[in-house]
């Protein structure tokens, strides 16, 4: 039991930090621009595939730097030639644009790399056990993923709260005309913010690709839970996204590892009445319902606190 708890905590924190690395870019985009980007998980997928292809050509470490930059450049192009033109038509037009873009990116990726998983491997430099705990070898690459996520969290907080660049970006959201009168190009500020947010998603894809399965439907697998994270933590709140990522990562990891059910706690139901819907529910294990637990948490938080754990606005 102790081994299960310790390993689940390690894996839960790792999964939570990966969720944060993925959700941080979307949180930055929303907090600065008010745009809820449905294609954000697709930028994550692009990062993974760009990382895979560049690793084949020039190695993992150059790909670790170049792939997020490429994804960021695509994000800047999307903002400049797509979102900027639809912004005047309201948020519905922006949502529809990013929603359609997500499907387009998925099909383009499938056309180029196919629908089967690609052979994206952990770099040789990090392909060894970092430590052994309860006879389980914990990979060094997972520690690397955790370290990158923590560094990104600290760097984002410092840039947004302690630097002149962060102040300009935040001011551009609430008082764009004043920022423009002070000599700053507001359109360029928004374009760079969207590019940085997209690059963060690309970085998450680059480092998660070797640890998870890299294939053309990976955006659909993580996209829904990404929105659970940012709504649960509070739309636009970076600390909220951090806390929500850890909570959901730990809850889902522990849920998958537990096979308990109502039958194991209270005993089986009387079988005299034969099989029934109640007996089926009685025997369902926690692991079987683990995939829906984050969405149940989302429903609860929206009922109790619609703005999320640390959000300051409800829309």
């Amino acid at each position: 039991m102790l081994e299960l708890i310790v390993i689940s905590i390690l894996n839960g924190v790792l999964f939570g930090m990966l969720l944060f690395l993925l959700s941080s870019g979307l949180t930055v985009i929303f907090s600065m621009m008010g745009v809820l980007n449905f294609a954000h998980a697709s930028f994550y997928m692009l990062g993974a595939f760009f990382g895979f292809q560049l690793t084949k050509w020039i190695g993992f470490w150059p790909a670790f730097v170049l792939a997020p930059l490429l994804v960021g450049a695509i994000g800047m192009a999307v903002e400049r030639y797509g979102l900027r033109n639809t912004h005047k038509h309201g948020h519905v037009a922006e949502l529809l644009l990013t929603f359609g873009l997500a499907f387009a990116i998925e099909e383009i990726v499938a056309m180029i790399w196919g629908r089967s998983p690609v052979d994206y491997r952990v770099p040789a430099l990090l392909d060894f056990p970092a430590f052994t705990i309860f006879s389980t070898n914990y990979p060094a690459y997972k520690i690397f993923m955790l370290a990158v996520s923590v560094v990104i969290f600290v760097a984002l907080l410092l840039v947004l709260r302690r630097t002149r660049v962060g102040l300009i970006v935040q001011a551009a959201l609430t008082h764009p005309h004043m920022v423009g009168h002070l000599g700053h190009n507001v359109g360029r500020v928004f374009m760079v913010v969207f590019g940085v947010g997209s690059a963060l998603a690309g970085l998450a894809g680059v480092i998660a690709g070797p640890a998870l399965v890299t294939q053309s439907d990976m955006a659909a697998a993580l996209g829904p839970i990404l929105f659970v994270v940012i709504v649960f933590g509070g739309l636009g709140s970076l600390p909220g996204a951090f806390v929500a990522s850890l909570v959901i990562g730990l809850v889902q990891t522990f849920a998958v590892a537990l096979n308990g059910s109502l039958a194991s706690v209270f005993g089986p139901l009387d079988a005299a009445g034969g099989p029934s819907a109640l007996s089926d529910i009685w025997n369902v294990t926690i692991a079987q319902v683990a995939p829906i637990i984050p969405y149940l948490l989302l429903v609860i938080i929206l009922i109790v606190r619609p703005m999320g754990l640390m959000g300051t606005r409800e829309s």
Side-chain angles (χ1 to χ4, degrees):
M1 178 59 71
L2 181 59
E3 179 179 1
L4 173 65
I5 293 174
V6 173
I7 297 299
S8 295
I9 289 176
L10 288 173
N11 290 333
V13 170
L14 177 65
F15 180 53
M17 291 307 297
L18 175 62
L19 287 178
F20 169 73
L21 186 59
L22 181 56
S23 64
S24 60
L26 184 56
T27 301
V28 168
I29 290 172
F30 184 84
S31 63
M32 300 305 130
M33 301 175 61
V35 175
L36 199 55
N37 179 18
F38 274 97
H40 195 74
S42 299
F43 291 133
Y44 157 77
M45 179 175 63
L46 284 178
F49 277 96
F50 286 171
F52 160 71
Q53 195 63 53
L54 290 173
T55 297
K56 288 181 62 177
W57 291 342
I58 56 179
F60 176 80
W61 298 108
F64 177 74
V65 176
L66 293 177
L69 294 178
L70 289 175
V71 176
I74 293 174
M76 293 173 70
V78 168
E79 194 284 331
R80 174 62 182 84
Y81 299 104
L83 287 172
R84 190 174 301 184
N85 294 328
T86 58
H87 180 71
K88 58 180 175 289
H89 300 295
H91 291 307
V92 174
E94 294 173 338
L95 290 176
L96 291 175
L97 172 66
T98 58
F99 190 73
L101 181 64
F103 283 98
I105 292 175
E106 180 177 344
E107 291 304 317
I108 291 172
V109 167
M111 290 170 58
I112 297 175
W113 286 283
R115 297 192 181 276
S116 301
V118 298
D119 188 22
Y120 191 9
R121 299 186 178 182
V122 172
L125 184 63
L126 296 173
D127 192 11
F128 64 91
F131 54 84
T132 301
I133 182 168
F134 296 108
S135 72
T136 300
N137 292 327
Y138 207 76
Y141 188 75
K142 289 188 175 181
I143 301 300
F144 168 73
M145 293 171 61
L146 181 62
V148 171
S149 302
V150 172
V151 169
I152 292 297
F153 172 62
V154 174
L156 283 176
L157 280 182
L158 291 177
V159 168
L160 294 178
R161 296 187 174 183
R162 298 297 179 87
T163 67
R164 185 170 179 267
V165 173
L167 293 176
I168 292 173
V169 169
Q170 294 182 72
L173 174 62
T174 55
H175 301 86
H177 297 295
M178 181 63 70
V179 173
H181 289 319
L182 292 174
H184 301 289
N185 189 323
V186 176
R188 185 179 301 168
V189 170
F190 284 170
M191 183 177 67
V192 171
V193 168
F194 198 90
V196 170
S198 302
L200 289 174
L203 178 61
V206 173
I207 67 171
L212 305 177
V213 178
T214 300
Q215 58 187 25
S216 60
D217 63 349
M218 62 189 301
L222 272 183
I225 200 170
L226 168 65
F227 285 96
V228 172
V229 169
I230 65 169
V231 174
F232 187 86
L235 287 172
S237 172
L238 196 62
F242 180 77
V243 173
S245 298
L246 289 178
V247 169
I248 292 175
L250 287 168
V251 167
Q252 188 150 24
T253 301
F254 271 98
V256 169
L258 297 176
N259 288 318
S261 65
L262 293 174
S264 64
V265 176
F266 301 104
L269 290 178
D270 185 7
S276 65
L278 179 59
S279 64
D280 290 338
I281 296 174
W282 197 257
N283 290 286
V284 169
T285 64
I286 297 176
Q288 289 175 313
V289 300
I292 69 171
I293 290 179
Y295 305 101
L296 292 177
L297 292 176
L298 174 63
V299 171
I300 293 172
I301 197 69
L302 286 175
I303 293 174
V304 176
R305 186 176 169 81
M307 71 285 295
L309 289 178
M310 300 184 182
T312 57
R313 52 183 173 180
E314 299 185 12
S315 61

